[in-house]
Amino acid sequence: MAAWARAVRGLLLDISGVLYDSGGEGGGVPIAGSAEAVRRIKASGLKLRFCTNETQATREKFVKKLQGLGFDISVAEVTAPAPAACRLLKERGLRPHLLVHDDLVPEFADVDKTNPNCVVIGDAAENFSYANLNEAFRVLIGLEKPVLISLGKGRYYKETDGLKLDVGAYMKALEYACDVQAEVVGKPAKAFFESALAEMGVPPEQAIMIGDDIVSDVGGAQQCGMRAVQVRTGKYRTRGGGSAKRHGKKQGWPNEVSWRKKHNMMVPKNRSESPGPFKCYKSWETEERASMGDKKDIPI
Amino acid sequence: MAAWARAVRGLLLDISGVLYDSGGEGGGVPIAGSAEAVRRIKASGLKLRFCTNETQATREKFVKKLQGLGFDISVAEVTAPAPAACRLLKERGLRPHLLVHDDLVPEFADVDKTNPNCVVIGDAAENFSYANLNEAFRVLIGLEKPVLISLGKGRYYKETDGLKLDVGAYMKALEYACDVQAEVVGKPAKAFFESALAEMGVPPEQAIMIGDDIVSDVGGAQQCGMRAVQVRTGKYRTRGGGSAKRHGKKQGWPNEVSWRKKHNMMVPKNRSESPGPFKCYKSWETEERASMGDKKDIPI
């Protein structure tokens, strides 16, 4: 076993696009093999933390849905942006105008929302109406010092009926209109990953982030000193556009290879198989060959 | 009369926020004194061109509304983005998916819209729904080489019931989601101003742009070699945020002063009067005092 593999003690798993595709009547569809993979990760003795930017529901509701889809997951294992945002709001005496999904509102029950002095934006989905966007804009532009807090900066995600714009796109719209820069709570914010690592009790060099978003998951984890894997499920796309262009495409991106069986946790795949969960990229193979530490410049 | 004033032969006038505030039952409300100002400009013998990024209606419909509000204006005097976009689409064999206001669609009647290979975005107003934005996004991200054409890049504008997000905000959302840069047709594109100048037959150094948007109107005209005035009507705001920050705030921006009566066309105002149309900024006064040509570095 390669040195880098022996050094791994904890895994951070993205959920949407990695474990399941959201949307549709039942709230989503598990990605084949993912529930079994979670069980094997847990059985392996590795520490595990679910790291999600999911903001269409409270953690309680979200976890209940995932349990219903067959996942071994509990609320205590989930790091999500809304609780982090609530801490930040209270610390700074901020009273938010919320542009979020109806089902997320209960997370902000204990926060003073009268006479708003900031705007909090999440993946509001159908609440991203013309009227609601104008309302949030008017609150923001009317502030002496506009403060925009965004629960993530994802570009888009995949639901069962197709790709959808994520909160990052709407965050950019408000940033541009008000000439402000949003404070991002959630991935890829460093504080968010650090919080998840602290909750696991694992240092960054012994943890791996697995996600389908090259910026929020892979980029964010790297900036925190972790390594990261981008899976080919969820929103993964083989060609440019999207965020993939920004990270490593020029560095030989991406040739899929199998991820060697490790800690008995990963689904072993070979090149001929169709894309599935827990596949990764050439740089992983390269890194494995070179052994950890020899190639510091490898992007993941 | 100062040298710079004698050199002026043509005026380019923004419409929304300068001549009238759009919105409401009647489609808008004239800004006090503006209809009279247009008449005086025309009577003065100056050449006049209306330069608008208005994309909520065909030019015909838009002009009819303005005539109804008391303005002396004809379709032939208006430079607008949609006809410019149609020329560009045809030249490049582009077939648009339109995310525009229903009332603008007739402008694209002669353009092939089957099997889209680009997205054209205008100020779609109520058509900026969650579903429509996702649809435009999916068309764009599905293209081998995503092409996004935006009919302007305004941040926001003022309607009778308040400020509204303009096309630029939604353009930024799609740009971010698809990692593309929009091609802007309309202000502040250089080609747009050049077209307006050509239609007037006046060189840029003899023309002045008057608008309420510091980027689309003032910045765009400056880049084209014109001088420009930002009026305090429409979306004008005294403090930061918005676009004002980007242009010249650090250069002493803005102290309102009167604009000297010139060509018998402008509404003379003095410092004590409340903000009205055709007011301008200190740099104008400075420029007037210094005489044209002495202070090339003055922002307007």
Side-chain angles (χ1 to χ4, degrees):
Chain A
M1 187 186 289
W4 70 267
R6 281 192 295 271
V8 174
R9 285 181 50 225
L11 279 183
L12 295 86
L13 269 188
D14 181 24
I15 297 178
S16 179
V18 174
L19 300 184
Y20 87 123
D21 287 325
S22 59
E25 281 303 307
V29 177
I31 291 167
S34 57
E36 171 60 18
V38 169
R39 273 190 290 275
R40 289 166 70 181
I41 291 168
K42 289 192 168 183
S44 75
L46 276 171
K47 295 201 174 181
L48 178 60
R49 190 87 199 152
F50 298 95
C51 266
T52 180
N53 271 4
E54 168 65 40
T55 55
Q56 286 201 7
T58 60
R59 276 179 305 170
E60 285 71 15
K61 198 169 175 180
F62 184 49
V63 163
K64 203 166 183 180
K65 179 176 79 174
L66 291 167
Q67 288 169 341
L69 293 173
F71 291 100
D72 178 4
I73 185 171
S74 68
V75 171
E77 293 170 315
V78 176
T79 302
C86 288
R87 285 194 296 275
L88 184 149
L89 293 168
K90 287 176 182 173
E91 280 166 15
R92 288 165 52 187
L94 292 170
R95 302 177 304 275
H97 169 88
L98 298 176
L99 178 52
V100 301
H101 196 283
D102 287 344
D103 289 345
L104 192 73
V105 174
E107 292 268 23
F108 295 88
D110 295 337
V111 175
D112 181 8
K113 294 180 281 292
T114 58
N115 187 23
N117 58 3
C118 76
V119 168
V120 171
I121 183 174
D123 175 19
E126 298 289 347
N127 277 349
F128 280 135
S129 66
Y130 179 62
N132 286 349
L133 277 162
N134 278 331
E135 190 184 357
F137 158 67
R138 281 193 288 257
V139 169
L140 201 56
I141 197 97
L143 297 173
E144 188 60 36
K145 289 184 181 176
V147 174
L148 175 61
I149 293 168
S150 188
L151 306 179
K153 57 184 281 190
R155 292 160 187 261
Y156 56 87
Y157 56 88
K158 187 184 170 192
E159 290 210 320
T160 48
D161 60 346
L163 297 174
K164 304 258 169 97
L165 288 169
D166 200 358
V167 61
Y170 294 96
M171 173 192 88
K172 287 288 171 184
L174 292 177
E175 281 189 340
Y176 178 72
C178 299
D179 202 13
V180 295
Q181 184 155 13
E183 301 175 36
V184 177
V185 178
K187 299 176 289 186
K190 201 174 175 185
F192 189 77
F193 284 106
E194 285 171 346
S195 171
L197 287 168
E199 284 154 346
M200 282 205 301
V202 172
E205 63 273 15
Q206 294 182 354
I208 294 175
M209 173 73 207
I210 297 171
D212 65 336
D213 191 303
I214 194 71
V215 174
S216 293
D217 297 324
V218 177
Q222 285 174 357
Q223 288 198 354
C224 207
M226 277 182 274
R227 282 163 294 158
V229 175
Q230 188 192 31
V231 293
R232 297 186 71 158
T233 50
K235 76 188 93 176
Y236 174 79
R237 294 158 47 78
T238 52
R239 65 161 188 80
S243 48
K245 240 188 230 169
R246 295 207 174 173
H247 283 79
K249 196 184 176 191
K250 289 174 186 168
Q251 298 157 31
W253 179 279
N255 288 314
E256 184 210 339
V257 294
S258 61
W259 189 355
R260 311 299 183 212
K261 197 170 173 181
K262 187 172 72 66
H263 282 296
N264 195 33
M265 71 179 184
M266 287 299 162
V267 183
K269 299 275 181 187
N270 62 46
R271 283 172 200 266
S272 63
E273 285 175 305
S274 62
F278 306 125
K279 288 209 172 185
C280 56
Y281 297 107
K282 197 163 190 175
S283 43
W284 266 99
E285 187 180 50
T286 310
E287 192 169 33
E288 188 177 8
R289 282 177 184 159
S291 89
M292 185 60 183
D294 293 345
K295 292 218 169 189
K296 293 284 188 197
D297 59 342
I298 289 172
I300 58 173
Chain B
M1 184 185 293
W4 69 266
R6 281 192 296 272
V8 174
R9 286 182 49 227
L11 279 181
L12 295 84
L13 268 188
D14 181 24
I15 298 177
S16 178
V18 174
L19 299 185
Y20 87 123
D21 287 326
S22 59
E25 281 303 307
V29 177
I31 292 168
S34 58
E36 171 60 19
V38 169
R39 272 190 290 276
R40 288 166 70 182
I41 291 167
K42 289 192 167 183
S44 76
L46 275 173
K47 295 202 175 182
L48 177 60
R49 189 89 197 152
F50 298 95
C51 266
T52 179
N53 271 4
E54 168 65 39
T55 56
Q56 286 200 8
T58 59
R59 277 178 304 171
E60 285 71 16
K61 200 168 173 180
F62 184 51
V63 163
K64 203 165 182 180
K65 178 175 80 174
L66 291 166
Q67 289 169 340
L69 294 173
F71 291 100
D72 178 5
I73 184 172
S74 68
V75 171
E77 294 170 314
V78 175
T79 302
C86 288
R87 284 194 297 274
L88 183 149
L89 293 168
K90 286 176 183 173
E91 280 166 16
R92 287 166 51 186
L94 291 170
R95 301 176 304 275
H97 169 89
L98 297 176
L99 177 53
V100 301
H101 197 284
D102 287 345
D103 289 346
L104 192 72
V105 173
E107 291 270 22
F108 295 87
D110 295 337
V111 175
D112 181 6
K113 293 180 281 292
T114 57
N115 188 23
N117 58 2
C118 75
V119 168
V120 170
I121 183 173
D123 175 19
E126 299 289 347
N127 277 350
F128 280 136
S129 65
Y130 179 62
N132 286 351
L133 278 162
N134 278 331
E135 190 184 357
F137 159 66
R138 281 193 287 259
V139 169
L140 201 56
I141 198 97
L143 297 173
E144 188 60 35
K145 290 184 181 176
V147 174
L148 175 61
I149 294 167
S150 188
L151 306 179
K153 57 184 280 188
R155 292 161 188 261
Y156 55 87
Y157 55 89
K158 187 184 173 192
E159 290 211 320
T160 47
D161 59 347
L163 298 175
K164 305 257 169 100
L165 288 170
D166 200 357
V167 60
Y170 294 95
M171 174 193 85
K172 287 289 172 185
L174 291 178
E175 282 188 338
Y176 178 71
C178 300
D179 202 14
V180 295
Q181 184 155 16
E183 301 175 37
V184 177
V185 178
K187 298 177 287 187
K190 200 174 177 188
F192 190 78
F193 285 105
E194 285 172 346
S195 171
L197 287 168
E199 285 154 345
M200 283 204 302
V202 172
E205 63 274 14
Q206 295 183 354
I208 294 175
M209 173 73 209
I210 297 170
D212 65 337
D213 190 303
I214 194 70
V215 174
S216 293
D217 297 324
V218 176
Q222 284 173 358
Q223 288 199 355
C224 206
M226 277 182 275
R227 281 162 297 158
V229 176
Q230 188 192 30
V231 293
R232 296 186 70 157
T233 50
K235 75 187 94 178
Y236 174 78
R237 293 158 48 79
T238 51
R239 65 164 185 78
S243 49
K245 241 188 228 170
R246 295 210 174 172
H247 283 76
K249 194 180 177 192
K250 290 174 183 167
Q251 300 157 29
W253 181 279
N255 288 310
E256 183 208 341
V257 297
S258 61
W259 188 355
R260 312 299 186 212
K261 197 171 174 180
K262 187 173 70 68
H263 282 295
N264 197 31
M265 69 179 185
M266 288 299 164
V267 184
K269 299 275 181 186
N270 62 47
R271 284 173 199 266
S272 65
E273 283 175 305
S274 61
F278 304 127
K279 287 207 171 187
C280 57
Y281 298 107
K282 195 163 192 175
S283 44
W284 265 99
E285 187 181 52
T286 310
E287 190 170 37
E288 188 177 12
R289 283 175 183 159
S291 90
M292 183 61 182
D294 292 347
K295 291 217 170 191
K296 292 283 188 196
D297 60 340
I298 289 171
I300 59 172

